[in-house]
Amino acid sequence: MLAYVIRRLFYAIPILIGVNLLTFTLFFVVNTPDDMARMQLGVKRVTPEAIEKWKAERGYDKPLLYNENAAGAARLTDTIFFEKSAKLFVFDFGRADDGRDIGHEIKTRMGPSLAIAVPTFLLGLFVTVSFALLLAFFRATNLDFWGVVLCVAMMSISSLFYIIGGQYLVSKVWHLVPISGYAGGLDAARFLLLPVLISVVAGIGSSTRWYRTIFLEEIGKDYVRTARAKGLSEAAVLFRHVLRNAMIPILTGVVVVIPLLFMGSLLVESFFGIPGLGSYTIDAINAQDFAVVRAMVFIGSVLYIVGLLLTDLSYTLVDPRVRLQ
Amino acid sequence: MMPIVLWTDALVFLLLAATAGAGLYIRRHEYLLASWRRVGESRAGMAALVVLLAFVAVGLLDSLHYRPRLADANGRPANGYGTEVRSVLDALLQPLRAATEKTYSAPLATHLYARETVELPDGTQARVFPRLKHGGAHLGDAEAEWGGDVAWRILRGLFFAVLAGLTFLLGAVHLAARHWAVGRSQAWRRMRRGETRFAWNAALLTAGLLLLLAGPAISLAGGYHVFGTDKVGQDVLYLTLKSIRTGLVIGTVTTLAMLPFAVALGIAAGYLGGWVDDVIQYLYTTLNSIPGVLLIAAAVLMVQVAIDTHPDWFATAAQRADARLLALCLILGVTSWTGLCRLLRAETLKLRELEYVQAAQAFGASAARIMGRHILPNVMHIVLIAVVMDFSGLVLAEAVLSYIGIGVDPSTISFGTMINTARLELAREPVVWWSLVAAFTFMFVLVLAANLFSDAVRDAFDPRLTGRRIAHSAQGQTA
């Protein structure tokens, strides 16, 4: 098992190099630092000196891949690729365009992001799995039919509608919780209640339908018939047999997103003014701060790969037949 | 006028031609026709198809663009063409397009939303809600006549809708009676009771409902702003109708752009195996591991920089906005082909072990021929299911991306830009809700119809429901 994990981690290296090369190409080759400088300083009437100054301040004045003027190893290290892209591998993210340390920002913003993402994830999983089990229990009845209709309708509604509508109704009309904002400590609950609820509701439609199909597929299998033939009650069949066997397809979709919870939710955080990583990313996108976007792309890829690994490991937990070699 | 073919127009019409071609091909092949017949048997599928066709008709009208000829001071046509690009839909909706007010006004309102200082005839000034320039301008005494006029217009619209609907229904019954070689009353009874092979009753009912909604709306639009006006006084009904094209383009052109990659790479990886498989797997794992939104953001920012630094590439603002729309489609395509590619690879792995493929190999058919002639037709149902399932997810994604600021050009009218400009207005007192509600309602109807139709297609083409994986990943992208 340990050998498997180590091998998988080695597989991650070429993928991360690929991610890095892709972002490097997007950010520095397709659009040269000159273009970026012109963009930041305003497209018209910008002097070449101003561009050079902007680039020098941010370390974009070096050659892209190979520095002819340097000596020894510095020929490779004193370049934009090494300074800006290769350093990401040791999680050295450098500074944002406004001069702040990206690594520090990420550390302080992770807390609020997790404070929203983790409750949303757990509550959402619990609600959708229970709802799907309910529909599967009452399969081929009116309840099931209208439940599915409700799911299809709910997944056809834009997530923006849930957020805007929820904010309007709960905060503006009913004055139950603040519209947006964040506070540390226990006070945070007041601010987190609405965003968590809205995110859970917004996810119900598609997830419930998806889990319901998984459960129905399991219910059609032979071992379920055997369990019923033994005389087990329908509830026992559902909870003890179907639910456990449906874990594999459910885990495939669920575990991979657990590490990505760190990244926060772009929409919810920016609508509710929560100082997490999601709103940090949106602010960076709007300010066209490429250094931050680059850092977030890299972190996202690392977390995704960790998620894939966790998925494989989780299979061994729910299904003893799975062996990792 | 000078016809203009924007890039997305060309792709939309290419897609239309491809659909027509596919239709002709399907007609000639009984086994394909059988699956499509199952779609026609589904009531929800037929109802959704009618709604989708209505949306597509609006979108197609909005895809025929031209630049109007400039007029000189006397209104005579002059040499040269305006820089404004219009569509046939714009020409049809000219009364709505031209009827701009000063600022917000509620649906069917006769007065502006905001007070203004006006000079009364006796020389004093007063703060009043001024009358609208177009909404209800034909009324003399707005307060007294408004109710009667609106009711009269609704009744007139309903009357014409019922008239049109009945004419259509009679025609349909007549055709059906001739087709089945039975009497008309017999044909009508069959259709009404749903005893026909295809769910004609659902389709006719949906068409009737659409007519009943459209009739009064058209009748009212002649004298009022049916959905009110937005901040700069544009008619919201006009904006929502214009948004339809953007949504359709994002939903279809994106898939069109990614399809060749996904199909070619997926089949090649599955059939050829070896290093080809390794390279393609590496490619999609790498692309997949970058969070979709961030990859889209990075690519859109790059496109934006390129467009901003080269203003000389585009003759008109519409062409510039169109380039960004096209770029967004391509980028969304790049980020969304991986799911389909993986599915096709897995399916090809299964197919290549089957006897008919081995027989083809024994005959000495080349790898390219086997992939093109033997494997491709047998994975087409997966491709089709992926295409219809991705559509609704992409329409929803557009709104989210536009909110984040990496969607369509701000000058392009879309559901996303409408919602984005309207969402802050909920804070006003009294609330300006109409543009938001209009955009969300239209988007909901479009996505719901697409979801129902794709369910019908999936059920028809894949009894074992292998398509649900795609559905799940498409939903994950928009969350």
Side-chain angles (χ1 to χ4, degrees):
Chain A
M1 177 112 142
L2 187 69
Y4 176 82
V5 172
I6 291 174
R7 204 172 67 233
R8 282 292 298 263
L9 287 177
F10 272 107
Y11 282 149
I13 294 174
I15 291 175
L16 286 178
I17 293 178
V19 169
N20 224 328
L21 279 179
L22 189 74
T23 43
F24 177 76
T25 323
L26 267 180
F27 284 107
F28 292 110
V29 183
V30 178
N31 279 280
T32 57
D34 284 31
D35 285 340
M36 275 190 266
R38 219 166 278 141
M39 182 91 187
Q40 293 281 340
L41 300 169
V43 178
K44 282 173 191 141
R45 282 194 294 278
V46 51
T47 57
E49 292 80 37
I51 290 181
E52 286 306 320
K53 184 164 166 283
W54 189 88
K55 278 161 63 184
E57 274 170 8
R58 287 162 182 78
Y60 291 142
D61 54 346
K62 292 168 184 160
L64 281 180
L65 282 171
Y66 183 76
N67 194 344
E68 288 180 356
N69 302 326
R75 283 189 172 198
L76 286 177
T77 56
D78 199 20
T79 58
I80 290 184
F81 180 72
F82 187 83
E83 286 284 321
K84 301 288 172 194
S85 284
K87 273 192 180 167
L88 292 175
F89 280 110
V90 289
F91 296 97
D92 176 0
F93 301 115
R95 287 177 183 284
D97 279 352
D98 60 7
R100 286 200 229 170
D101 184 36
I102 298 177
H104 177 72
E105 287 279 317
I106 289 175
K107 263 180 228 142
T108 50
R109 282 165 175 272
M110 222 160 64
S113 272
L114 284 175
I116 281 206
V118 172
T120 305
F121 173 75
L122 294 177
L123 193 65
L125 193 63
F126 176 74
V127 169
T128 47
V129 168
S130 337
F131 197 25
L133 269 176
L134 184 80
L135 293 184
F137 187 78
F138 290 102
R139 63 191 170 279
T141 64
N142 271 333
L143 182 76
D144 181 34
F145 175 78
W146 288 108
V148 173
V149 169
L150 184 70
C151 285
V152 176
M154 281 181 83
M155 62 193 257
S156 304
I157 297 173
S158 168
S159 46
L160 292 171
F161 178 80
Y162 288 110
I163 298 178
I164 296 175
Q167 262 183 334
Y168 178 73
L169 208 63
V170 178
S171 297
K172 186 148 183 269
V173 178
W174 295 340
H175 296 288
L176 291 181
V177 289
I179 286 190
S180 68
Y182 187 73
L186 281 179
D187 210 23
R190 242 164 18 104
F191 292 97
L192 294 181
L193 194 65
L194 187 60
V196 167
L197 272 182
I198 286 178
S199 321
V200 169
V201 171
I204 283 183
S206 56
S207 312
T208 305
R209 218 167 83 111
W210 157 239
Y211 295 146
R212 178 182 161 273
T213 10
I214 293 176
F215 289 138
L216 287 188
E217 194 160 291
E218 284 297 322
I219 284 177
K221 288 192 177 161
D222 285 344
Y223 73 88
V224 178
R225 205 181 325 145
T226 314
R228 285 210 199 96
K230 282 198 305 193
L232 289 185
S233 70
E234 185 65 23
V237 171
L238 264 189
F239 284 102
R240 228 177 294 151
H241 294 266
V242 173
L243 182 59
R244 284 177 70 171
N245 278 289
M247 283 310 274
I248 282 246
I250 292 179
L251 281 177
T252 316
V254 165
V255 177
V256 77
V257 302
I258 292 177
L260 287 173
L261 294 179
F262 280 98
M263 303 280 289
S265 157
L266 296 184
L267 276 189
V268 172
E269 282 182 21
S270 86
F271 263 101
F272 288 94
I274 285 153
L277 283 177
S279 54
Y280 187 51
T281 315
I282 286 212
D283 291 346
I285 291 171
N286 286 333
Q288 315 215 324
D289 192 331
F290 298 104
V292 178
V293 177
R294 216 159 45 223
M296 298 310 287
V297 166
F298 187 75
I299 297 178
S301 321
V302 172
L303 292 175
Y304 177 78
I305 292 168
V306 173
L308 288 183
L309 183 59
L310 284 182
T311 310
D312 283 353
L313 294 181
S314 68
Y315 288 158
T316 58
L317 290 181
V318 294
D319 189 348
R321 288 170 302 181
V322 176
R323 292 255 158 72
L324 303 175
Q325 287 147 11
Chain B
M1 61 188 191
M2 177 170 68
I4 293 256
V5 180
L6 299 177
W7 272 102
T8 48
D9 295 345
L11 289 171
V12 164
F13 285 108
L14 180 70
L15 204 66
L16 195 67
T19 317
L24 284 178
Y25 183 82
I26 290 165
R27 264 183 87 93
R28 276 195 243 116
H29 293 78
E30 188 50 40
Y31 62 99
L32 291 171
L33 211 50
S35 294
W36 280 106
R37 286 207 184 103
R38 277 204 292 276
V39 179
E41 288 162 16
S42 146
R43 268 198 234 142
M46 282 295 260
L49 185 65
V50 170
V51 177
L52 282 181
L53 283 179
F55 276 101
V56 168
V58 174
L60 285 180
L61 281 179
D62 203 9
S63 295
L64 295 162
H65 284 101
Y66 64 92
R67 274 161 78 172
R69 194 178 264 278
L70 285 175
D72 63 10
N74 305 323
R76 276 182 316 226
N79 279 333
Y81 299 96
T83 52
E84 190 190 13
V85 175
R86 291 193 198 155
S87 72
V88 173
L89 186 75
D90 289 333
L92 288 177
L93 298 178
Q94 182 60 27
L96 290 185
R97 211 171 73 90
T100 55
E101 307 291 346
K102 227 173 215 165
T103 179
Y104 302 111
S105 66
L108 302 180
T110 53
H111 290 82
L112 212 57
Y113 163 86
R115 276 178 208 274
E116 252 180 25
T117 309
V118 289
E119 200 157 320
L120 296 177
D122 57 9
T124 55
Q125 288 189 337
R127 302 274 297 164
V128 294
F129 295 108
R131 282 286 292 268
L132 294 179
K133 274 184 286 180
H134 302 277
H138 55 286
L139 302 176
D141 178 8
E143 276 80 10
E145 294 173 25
W146 182 80
D149 187 58
V150 168
W152 159 242
R153 275 169 191 272
I154 290 178
L155 279 179
R156 196 179 59 181
L158 284 176
F159 173 72
F160 280 111
V162 170
L163 203 66
L166 284 180
T167 322
F168 183 71
L169 194 65
L170 279 179
V173 169
H174 178 72
L175 282 180
R178 270 196 19 201
H179 188 74
W180 294 322
V182 293
R184 278 179 207 167
S185 54
Q186 173 80 18
W188 164 238
R189 200 174 311 129
R190 270 202 217 173
M191 275 159 77
R192 193 174 39 123
R193 293 192 185 155
E195 287 162 359
T196 53
R197 169 133 198 225
F198 299 122
W200 291 120
N201 52 354
L204 287 174
L205 187 67
T206 319
L209 282 177
L210 281 182
L211 268 177
L212 287 184
L213 286 175
I218 295 170
S219 172
L220 284 168
Y224 299 93
H225 299 288
V226 183
F227 291 161
T229 53
D230 73 350
K231 187 171 186 176
V232 289
Q234 275 179 300
D235 189 272
V236 173
L237 177 63
Y238 170 72
L239 293 180
T240 20
L241 289 176
K242 290 285 281 180
S243 303
I244 291 173
R245 175 181 183 266
T246 317
L248 291 177
V249 165
I250 298 252
T252 53
V253 172
T254 301
T255 325
L256 185 74
M258 68 112 175
L259 219 49
F261 293 99
V263 173
L265 294 180
I267 294 181
Y271 184 75
L272 298 174
W275 66 269
V276 179
D277 191 18
D278 289 339
V279 169
I280 293 172
Q281 278 201 62
Y282 170 71
L283 208 62
Y284 70 60
T285 319
T286 307
L287 267 180
N288 230 7
S289 64
I290 302 177
V293 178
L294 287 177
L295 187 60
I296 295 167
V300 168
L301 287 182
M302 297 300 105
V303 171
Q304 195 52 45
V305 172
I307 289 177
D308 284 352
T309 45
H310 301 277
D312 48 315
W313 285 355
F314 309 101
T316 60
Q319 276 161 325
R320 194 172 61 228
D322 183 68
R324 174 144 171 191
L325 178 62
L326 181 66
L328 182 67
C329 290
L330 296 182
I331 294 158
L332 279 170
V334 167
T335 53
S336 66
W337 65 276
T338 50
L340 177 62
C341 184
R342 196 160 33 184
L343 274 180
L344 288 178
R345 175 178 167 273
E347 188 68 16
T348 311
L349 278 178
K350 263 189 270 169
L351 288 181
R352 84 170 172 187
E353 303 301 330
L354 293 186
E355 284 88 353
Y356 74 90
V357 175
Q358 286 172 353
Q361 283 166 342
F363 277 124
S366 69
R369 194 179 162 79
I370 292 178
M371 287 191 278
R373 294 299 296 274
H374 299 283
I375 293 185
L376 181 63
N378 286 298
V379 296
M380 275 318 271
H381 66 281
I382 297 184
V383 175
L384 181 75
I385 291 167
V387 168
V388 289
M389 295 226 121
D390 277 350
F391 177 84
S392 51
L394 287 167
V395 175
L396 289 175
E398 186 272 330
V400 173
L401 292 179
S402 292
Y403 164 73
I404 301 177
I406 50 176
V408 296
D409 191 83
S411 69
T412 309
I413 304 171
S414 78
F415 293 127
T417 46
M418 273 182 80
I419 293 168
N420 203 14
T421 45
R423 75 193 158 87
L424 294 173
E425 272 125 39
L426 282 182
R428 286 172 179 270
E429 206 62 51
V431 177
V432 179
W433 48 269
W434 42 88
S435 25
L436 212 54
V437 170
F440 276 130
T441 312
F442 269 67
M443 203 158 87
F444 172 68
V445 173
L446 175 61
V447 173
L448 184 65
N451 273 335
L452 290 176
F453 183 67
S454 65
D455 279 0
V457 169
R458 190 191 50 184
D459 291 347
F461 278 80
D462 196 3
R464 283 194 52 250
L465 301 178
T466 40
R468 52 162 207 259
R469 271 169 190 281
I470 321 172
H472 195 61
S473 66
Q475 275 298 323
Q477 269 182 3
T478 60

